Amino acid sequence: MTTQRRVAADARDEAEVACGELAAVLKEAGIVLPSLAVDPVTFGYEPSRNLVELGRCNVETTRKLIAVLQRAVR
């Protein structure tokens, strides 16, 4: 494997781990983002952008997320 491919694979792995950690902490707060995932398209860029897609959620979930974030910033 080339160095460039190894760097891209490591970045993808890092994005997957971060996505999983976010899903876990949101679940602890009673929040599920159904579309939460690593965006595979962003790995095709040079250099890769390693984006996590937060996706869409309903208004109830949005309100829960707002409440958790408001408590966190206080």
Side-chain angles (χ1 to χ4, degrees):
M1 181 178 285
T2 67
T3 301
Q4 186 176 7
R5 285 188 173 199
R6 170 56 31 213
V7 168
D10 289 346
R12 184 178 55 246
D13 292 346
E14 181 182 7
E16 291 285 354
V17 168
C19 187
E21 290 174 0
L22 178 59
V25 73
L26 287 171
K27 186 176 180 182
E28 286 179 35
I31 298 170
V32 175
L33 297 178
S35 301
L36 179 64
V38 172
D39 183 353
V41 174
T42 60
F43 293 110
Y45 292 98
E46 186 56 42
S48 63
R49 295 195 177 126
N50 313 320
L51 299 179
V52 174
E53 176 66 49
L54 299 179
R56 303 175 342 170
C57 61
N58 62 32
V59 174
E60 179 184 354
T61 301
T62 301
R63 296 268 182 229
K64 287 180 183 178
L65 187 54
I66 290 166
V68 167
L69 292 170
Q70 286 174 331
R71 284 192 303 271
V73 298
R74 290 187 184 137

